[in-house]
Amino acid sequence: MRSFGKLAQGARLERLRDLPLWDGDRLRNIHPMLPGLRDPATPRPTLREFLCEDAERRPSVPLPAHDPRDAWQRKPASGLRATWLGHSTVLLEIDGWRVLTDPVWGERASPFTLMGPKRFQPVPVTLRQLPEVDAVVISHDHYDHLDYPTIRALAKSQVPFVTSLGVGAHLEAWGIAPERITELTWWETHRVPGTGLTVTAAPSQHFSGRGLKDRNQTLWSSLVLAGERHRVFFSGDTGLTTEYEVIRDRLGPFDLVMLEVGAFHPSWGDIHLGPENALQAHRMLGGGVLLPVHWGTFSLSTHAWDQPVETLLAQADPAHTHLLLPRLGEPVEPGERRPASPWWRQAHAGKAAATGAPPAPPVGEGEDAGLPWPLD
């Protein structure tokens, strides 16, 4: 079970223990939680509810996707371009440098090959079809952000990794040489050698862990990626926090803001944004073009697969929020300010002609006990 990773030891563990978030046993969120984010009266989903997906939890036909390889051969005119490849995986081109965020090409957000949330949408390109990247950044160690088969494939390259403190233990266990790994604590900045690219870790409100005994043993972060002219904010996974205002003041303004919008639920509203809180977080960060991520690939909660983006489209005020809603694999330049188009509705149009997959059967009987949600 190498996919579980490895616990931090030695100097890495000592650095973790020096963090203000360390409570003597593990890390914890210490920033005051905003009222109303989590509904204690709402029970968390049971295993049966999670596994017995209804027809709304995943599209019945593949979503429209774009092959970006021709576009990648041309430099972005503005100097900033983003290609959303699914979930939280984005290829960013920033002032001549390429950065890959939370790369996940694996079939499941799980330590197992035959169990756990399975992707309903393939990545538009293979890893081998990617252009050469200058850095890979990883926000935290959950399976839908730190993917074992993807890291094992990237180990064959020489690309450097920049990640949250503690995550490097997993990377080393999977074949990434220590000299290729930089681990950051909040507000630390790293300049990628040989580039004009900097990566700064910033606060987020989340948790970490890949097994039953390693909860909150590694740090979770949002990340700011900056070139000579452009700045991009990437939320990783997080709940709503007033720390966004501090991030805006210390690290902004941002040309592109990438916020997680999926896998939300009222019972864990303090550690995931969801679409409504993403809009509020966007305002707190000072605006900029908003690219929603963390949707369209895995079913990690009980809401409809397209609910996050439909809610964004309905509630975003065009006067204050410019939504960037590219198709999967479609390279887009935020500076172009393209109008938002609900391209994902094509999946609904094809539903009548498609044979939808039946709901997944329960893994076992009597498995209705509450789970330690969320899994990501």
Side-chain angles (χ1 to χ4, degrees):
M1 296 302 301
R2 295 187 66 196
S3 60
F4 279 112
K6 187 177 181 181
L7 289 173
Q9 297 176 345
R12 181 179 278 124
L13 180 58
E14 290 304 313
R15 284 186 67 193
L16 286 164
R17 288 173 172 171
D18 285 341
L19 295 180
L21 282 69
W22 190 264
D23 67 0
D25 185 45
R26 64 191 65 210
L27 301 169
R28 60 189 176 92
N29 293 305
I30 60 175
H31 194 76
M33 185 175 71
L34 295 175
L37 291 183
R38 182 177 63 210
D39 183 1
T42 301
R44 294 188 173 188
T46 65
L47 181 59
R48 185 181 299 275
E49 290 172 325
F50 187 70
L51 293 176
C52 296
E53 295 182 1
D54 58 39
E56 299 301 316
R57 295 265 298 279
R58 56 177 59 223
S60 59
V61 295
L63 300 178
H66 184 87
D67 186 338
R69 287 175 288 174
D70 285 344
W72 283 342
Q73 294 179 13
R74 301 183 296 273
K75 294 181 179 180
S78 66
L80 177 63
R81 185 164 61 193
T83 307
W84 178 51
L85 298 172
H87 204 57
S88 296
T89 303
V90 180
L91 180 68
L92 290 168
E93 297 168 90
I94 307 175
D95 301 332
W97 314 108
R98 294 192 182 103
V99 188
L100 189 63
T101 67
D102 288 358
V104 175
W105 265 257
E107 282 298 304
R108 295 184 185 271
S110 167
F112 310 109
T113 57
L114 299 177
M115 294 176 57
K118 186 176 182 180
R119 66 165 59 239
F120 55 73
Q121 179 69 24
V123 190
V125 292
T126 67
L127 265 174
R128 291 184 177 182
Q129 292 171 331
L130 279 180
E132 184 175 348
V133 298
D134 298 287
V136 172
V137 296
I138 297 175
S139 59
H140 65 297
D141 72 358
H142 285 152
Y143 288 94
D144 58 322
H145 298 262
L146 178 64
D147 180 54
Y148 172 71
T150 302
I151 300 302
R152 288 289 293 159
L154 290 172
K156 300 173 185 177
S157 71
Q158 294 301 315
V159 63
F161 286 75
V162 186
T163 187
S164 302
L165 181 57
V167 178
H170 301 312
L171 297 177
E172 286 187 32
W174 300 338
I176 307 297
E179 59 268 21
R180 291 171 54 191
I181 303 169
T182 300
E183 296 172 85
L184 302 177
T185 61
W186 294 351
W187 306 119
E188 284 188 331
T189 296
H190 171 69
R191 180 176 290 275
V192 179
T195 75
L197 177 73
T198 62
V199 182
T200 303
S204 65
Q205 189 107 337
H206 199 54
F207 70 108
S208 65
R210 296 177 69 84
L212 298 176
K213 297 182 180 180
D214 68 343
R215 190 175 179 89
N216 291 1
Q217 298 297 309
T218 64
L219 186 60
W220 48 93
S221 305
S222 60
L223 297 162
V224 173
L225 313 166
E228 291 89 347
R229 296 171 48 213
H230 295 94
R231 286 179 170 266
V232 176
F233 177 83
F234 172 47
S235 68
D237 279 358
T238 181
L240 186 64
T241 167
T242 57
E243 291 168 300
Y244 284 128
E245 296 172 339
V246 181
I247 294 171
R248 174 199 63 206
D249 294 340
R250 292 183 62 168
L251 301 174
F254 304 111
D255 301 285
L256 177 64
V257 173
M258 305 194 307
L259 294 176
E260 58 117 309
V261 299
F264 64 92
H265 192 272
S267 67
W268 60 68
D270 56 321
I271 51 177
H272 274 296
L273 285 172
E276 292 93 343
N277 285 339
L279 290 171
Q280 187 171 344
H282 179 253
R283 290 191 292 271
M284 295 166 74
L285 286 162
V289 177
L290 173 58
L291 172 62
V293 296
H294 207 260
W295 75 282
T297 305
F298 296 104
S299 176
L300 298 173
S301 185
T302 56
H303 57 71
W305 69 270
D306 58 348
Q307 182 181 345
V309 69
E310 288 287 357
T311 302
L312 278 178
L313 196 61
Q315 296 191 9
D317 181 354
H320 300 94
T321 304
H322 182 84
L323 286 177
L324 189 64
L325 298 174
R327 290 171 174 82
L328 287 148
E330 181 183 11
V332 290
E333 299 189 38
E336 293 178 351
R337 300 268 175 164
R338 294 186 186 182
S341 174
W343 55 266
W344 57 89
R345 292 178 185 168
Q346 295 179 36
H348 293 296
K351 185 179 295 186
T355 302
V363 167
E365 296 301 323
E367 306 225 22
D368 281 332
L371 290 171
W373 294 111
L375 298 178
D376 70 332

